[in-house]
Amino acid sequence: AQTVTQSQPEMSVQEAETVTLSCTYDTSESDYYLFWYKQPPSRQMILVIRQEAYKQQNATENRFSVNFQKAAKSFSLKISDSQLGDAAMYFCAYSAGGNTGKLIFGQGTTLQVKP
Amino acid sequence: GAVVSQHPSRVICKSGTSVKIECRSLDFQATTMFWYRQFPKQSLMLMATSNEGSKATYEQGVEKDKFLINHASLTLSTLTVTSAHPEDSSFYICSARVGPGNSPLHFGNGTRLTVT
């Protein structure tokens, strides 16, 4: 069975600094997708970034980038120039290729941004 | 962008009663919607896949007679929690995707259910 593990329940970062959130996963599939979702206090789930497993290039979205290490089954999220609005719970998620509706989520990391 | 609307955002019901939660895709058609459940400060767990015009597919351990899902149109899926008990209190989130199976999900704003 596929699993997703986030080993950092809480992280904090100073405003304008950089922080990296860790995620590891386990799967025997070769075709899959990885995601980072943000859940602010409003509880709305917001897609931050997505990575296709077949792509070697790390995905980036403005201040957000990932370090995708397929052999190590690691998928970390780097947030650069952290802003107060980045404070939220961040979930790493996995889905097997072909059905991104069946997401397997990690436990989540609560990110605090200090002014 | 694609919008998924969920109603109500909060509901309190008495133990033994049933409550219905609606999930609508506002600007796109969704043949498939997904229902997740989230306990406080915990992760999201997929409960079931809602298929328009056919029966829902439930994940292992989810009671299909307790959590009734109906997907009668391309823009509406409903989750009915029947004979609710306090342990059913949770945050329920629906989602849908625009496009093929590998498209990312768009989530509703969730429903906080409290059973007294």
Side-chain angles (χ1 to χ4, degrees), chain A:
Chain A
Q2 295 91 355
T3 58
V4 178
T5 303
Q6 292 177 250
S7 58
Q8 305 156 316
E10 297 180 353
M11 292 283 285
S12 67
V13 62
Q14 208 70 32
E15 194 176 6
E17 297 294 307
T18 295
V19 65
T20 298
L21 308 184
S22 301
C23 173
T24 58
Y25 61 96
D26 190 25
T27 183
S28 58
E29 303 285 337
S30 58
D31 179 22
Y32 55 89
Y33 294 82
L34 297 165
F35 305 84
W36 278 98
Y37 279 90
K38 169 184 177 182
Q39 188 180 42
S42 67
R43 307 292 293 271
Q44 176 73 49
M45 295 291 287
I46 302 166
L47 177 64
V48 174
I49 201 164
R50 127 183 169 144
Q51 175 82 44
E52 291 91 339
Y54 64 86
K55 289 187 176 179
Q56 291 186 332
Q57 187 173 7
N58 290 322
T60 63
E61 284 289 342
N62 301 315
R63 298 183 294 108
F64 299 88
S65 62
V66 297
N67 183 0
F68 175 45
Q69 299 290 326
K70 191 171 183 178
K73 295 181 181 174
S74 169
F75 183 62
S76 60
L77 174 70
K78 185 172 82 170
I79 305 174
S80 305
D81 186 25
S82 297
Q83 299 176 0
L84 295 178
D86 295 334
M89 188 159 222
Y90 286 81
F91 290 99
C92 178
Y94 162 100
S95 72
N99 187 359
T100 53
K102 296 191 71 170
L103 289 169
I104 298 171
F105 286 90
Q107 304 90 326
T109 297
T110 300
L111 178 65
Q112 180 186 24
V113 181
K114 298 178 180 178

Side-chain angles (χ1 to χ4, degrees), chain B residues 2-22:
Chain B
V3 177
V4 176
S5 176
Q6 199 170 330
H7 179 80
S9 58
R10 290 175 181 267
V11 59
I12 300 172
C13 71
K14 292 188 182 297
S15 189
T17 62
S18 296
V19 61
K20 180 185 286 187
I21 302 169
E22 293 186 347

